[in-house]
Amino acid sequence: MGQEAAKHPQGHLIRQSPPFDADHIPDDAWMKDKVVIITGGASGFGLGMFRRWAAAQAVVVMADINVAQGDRLVRDVKKDTANPNLHFIHCDVTEWKSQVSLFREAAKLSPHGGIDTVVANAGIAAAKRTFEEPNDIDLADPPPPDLSILDVNLKGVVYTSYLALWYLPRNPGSSPADPSCVPAQVTRDRHLILMGSLASLLPIPGSALYGTSKHAVAGLYRNLRASSFMQGIRVNLICPYFVETPLLTAPARALLAGGVLCKEEDVVEAATRFAANPGIVGRAVSVGPKLKVKQDVKGEWHLVEGEDPGAEQRAIWEIYLHDLEDADVFQRRCLAIINRVTELRGWAGWAQDMVTALVYGFRSLWR
């Protein structure tokens, strides 16, 4: 850990773990008895995680707006896995009170009274290009744009994350996230997984609001990653490529015709690698189509066609690998200059600012 800290001082400061090891196979058994909340758990990625972690005998709370489907799936998976600790709770992630009720009920259902992992997975996509092609603006009372995507994909994720930041540090028996931990010796967790998208990284023409929401999720991850260590929480991000799920609209399917898609199972695999290893802290991955690739001596990856004994199949790739060292150079330089100015001003400058602050405070009281 010492050498890693010397190479990545910013990562060490916020207790970020070393780069993600794509070759490490998770031990699903570690998920046994862990208490997990998955929003949007009745379909797509959420359902895949629910099934896999249920099979590992985790205590999984599926939250979704679709009551009939959620109830049915929980009953079916209970039978398939012989796991009685599976639950469905109706939740509209856009409604604050609904999410508050979800977390309170999940804590009551938890055998130990706490929550180990929260997956902010609920999301929607637009079926039509409505934002890029405004209509009816010439009316006397033009209608506002449909912001339901932002309500679900951004506001909903913010609500989920906000509640997770309160519940996770209060998980009985848990300890602050530690990149140097030995997973077998860790019994409880404090883990938040954010579900981003390819749209968190790249523009997708015709999906302005979806891209905005997913860029915001990546921004939330990067900010929480730099501060959640103070509460001992580990935050990780998953950004899938286009996947065969209900979110993939007909126009998107047409544009991708003849190409390759990411598989849901690989996204679930990425989530499990995060969830089943408490030592992975503050890391992000993109999940794409599983391709046969080979790394050259310079570290660059190349697509391999045909047989090659040195090639490997890979779908999970780390992103934001060195952004703390690259992007934050500017910040470090600015802060160094500001700190130097503070030193030069000395105690006299501090006293002057304190007097100004007190005067401002008294004036505010008398307004």
Side-chain angles (χ1 to χ4, degrees):
M1 191 68 185
Q3 290 182 345
E4 193 65 38
K7 287 167 58 181
H8 307 293
Q10 298 297 309
H12 178 66
L13 179 65
I14 65 170
R15 300 178 69 84
Q16 184 185 38
S17 59
F20 181 81
D21 183 0
D23 297 322
H24 176 74
I25 304 300
D27 182 5
D28 286 33
W30 192 86
M31 295 296 294
K32 186 177 187 296
D33 298 328
K34 302 302 182 294
V35 180
V36 184
I37 294 176
I38 306 173
T39 64
S43 64
F45 307 139
L47 179 56
M49 296 174 206
F50 181 80
R51 290 185 185 278
R52 179 157 173 177
W53 299 342
Q57 300 302 304
V59 180
V60 192
V61 177
M62 173 196 289
D64 203 282
I65 199 169
N66 191 329
V67 176
Q69 185 164 317
D71 280 335
R72 177 180 58 79
L73 287 167
V74 168
R75 288 195 303 269
D76 291 345
V77 177
K78 276 185 178 180
K79 293 178 182 178
D80 294 341
T81 62
N83 182 349
N85 296 311
L86 306 178
H87 311 280
F88 173 78
I89 298 176
H90 170 265
C91 181
D92 179 349
V93 295
T94 68
E95 296 292 335
W96 170 246
K97 290 184 179 179
S98 185
Q99 291 224 39
V100 170
S101 296
L102 163 64
F103 275 78
R104 287 179 176 172
E105 186 63 24
K108 290 179 183 178
L109 292 169
S110 168
H112 75 288
I115 299 166
D116 294 292
T117 296
V118 176
V119 185
N121 171 72
I124 61 173
K128 299 179 181 179
R129 282 186 55 171
T130 56
F131 186 80
E132 292 89 338
E133 299 174 352
N135 289 314
D136 301 326
I137 302 300
D138 54 346
L139 296 178
D141 186 15
D146 180 3
L147 300 182
S148 55
I149 285 182
L150 297 184
D151 289 338
V152 176
N153 297 2
L154 179 52
K155 185 169 76 171
V157 169
V158 169
Y159 282 170
T160 303
S161 301
Y162 188 66
L163 288 162
L165 292 175
W166 193 88
Y167 275 89
L168 291 174
R170 292 167 174 79
N171 185 18
S174 68
S175 301
D178 182 1
S180 62
C181 73
V182 178
Q185 298 175 0
V186 179
T187 56
R188 303 254 67 98
D189 205 353
R190 304 178 185 179
H191 188 202
L192 172 62
I193 298 178
L194 298 174
M195 291 301 298
S197 161
L198 177 71
S200 298
L201 312 172
L202 303 170
I204 299 181
S207 301
L209 291 184
Y210 181 78
T212 297
S213 69
K214 291 302 184 178
H215 267 72
V217 171
L220 180 64
Y221 154 75
R222 296 182 73 186
N223 280 274
L224 289 181
R225 176 189 61 176
S227 61
S228 62
F229 72 95
M230 292 186 287
Q231 298 122 301
I233 298 172
R234 62 190 188 103
V235 181
N236 294 304
L237 172 72
I238 302 174
C239 293
Y241 181 67
F242 295 105
V243 186
E244 182 65 39
T245 71
L247 284 184
L248 193 61
T249 63
R253 293 169 190 267
L255 286 172
L256 293 168
V260 288
L261 296 175
C262 171
K263 292 187 178 297
E264 182 183 296
E265 63 194 51
D266 291 323
V267 179
V268 174
E269 176 72 16
T272 304
R273 293 190 184 199
F274 281 150
N277 187 344
I280 301 181
V281 183
R283 288 296 173 181
V285 295
S286 176
V287 185
K290 185 169 285 185
L291 305 172
K292 186 188 292 187
V293 293
K294 185 176 182 179
Q295 193 173 28
D296 63 24
V297 293
K298 296 182 180 179
E300 297 292 329
W301 291 92
H302 303 277
L303 183 66
V304 173
E305 299 181 30
E307 295 298 324
D308 189 324
E312 61 181 276
Q313 295 281 343
R314 177 167 292 202
I316 303 172
W317 305 85
E318 181 154 21
I319 53 177
Y320 296 129
L321 183 59
H322 299 300
D323 64 317
L324 282 170
E325 285 67 47
D326 297 335
D328 289 358
V329 168
F330 173 75
Q331 297 177 32
R332 292 202 300 272
R333 288 173 178 170
C334 286
L335 287 174
I337 293 172
I338 293 172
N339 289 337
R340 180 56 181 159
V341 171
T342 302
E343 291 176 6
L344 293 173
R345 293 186 69 206
W347 286 103
W350 177 86
Q352 180 183 350
D353 290 344
M354 286 299 295
V355 169
T356 301
L358 289 170
V359 170
Y360 180 83
F362 281 121
R363 285 179 177 174
S364 298
L365 289 174
W366 288 102
R367 285 177 183 171

